[in-house]
Amino acid sequence: MADTPATKPDNAHYELTVTTEGGETVTGYLSKPQRAHVARSMSLIGQSQIYEAGEFLLENLLIADGSDPRILADEDVKMAAAMQAVQAVKVLDGSLKKV
């Protein structure tokens, strides 16, 4: 499958790319994580299950229309994409102190 430009879906919040061993670029689009996605992935990250958190996010946030199907179909691509998907969880900095 040759590199073909993907069409960015309107509801895409993130563009995720993986370069295969053959040098092809595989592109997928993720929607914005909702509270339940963040909570589940943070729970997995807290248990040192980083890959599982990324896989959960990838499988739940990937927008099928516009994303290369190899993102989920090719195991090597999926593993790399899952590790990138973890970055979709953003938590604002804050602090707490006793007063």
Side-chain angles (χ1 to χ4, degrees):
M1 199 180 268
D3 287 329
T4 55
T7 303
K8 178 184 163 276
D10 291 337
N11 59 335
H13 198 73
Y14 296 102
E15 179 182 270
L16 185 152
T17 59
V18 174
T19 303
T20 67
E21 288 184 359
E24 292 181 277
T25 300
V26 180
T27 303
Y29 294 96
L30 303 178
S31 60
K32 184 175 182 177
Q34 300 301 309
R35 183 187 182 288
H37 300 124
V38 173
R40 176 70 176 139
S41 61
M42 292 298 285
S43 175
L44 289 167
I45 290 167
Q47 297 172 51
S48 298
Q49 295 180 332
I50 309 300
Y51 175 76
E52 289 82 357
E55 189 173 42
F56 168 79
L57 290 167
L58 181 64
E59 291 173 352
N60 285 278
L61 301 179
L62 186 70
I63 302 167
D65 291 339
S67 293
D68 190 314
R70 293 178 291 174
I71 291 279
L72 296 178
D74 181 305
E75 196 61 30
D76 290 337
V77 172
K78 183 178 179 180
M79 285 189 290
M83 295 309 294
Q84 296 302 313
V86 173
Q87 297 177 57
V89 174
K90 304 277 188 223
V91 179
L92 299 177
D93 287 333
S95 66
L96 174 70
K97 62 181 178 180
K98 186 174 179 177
V99 291

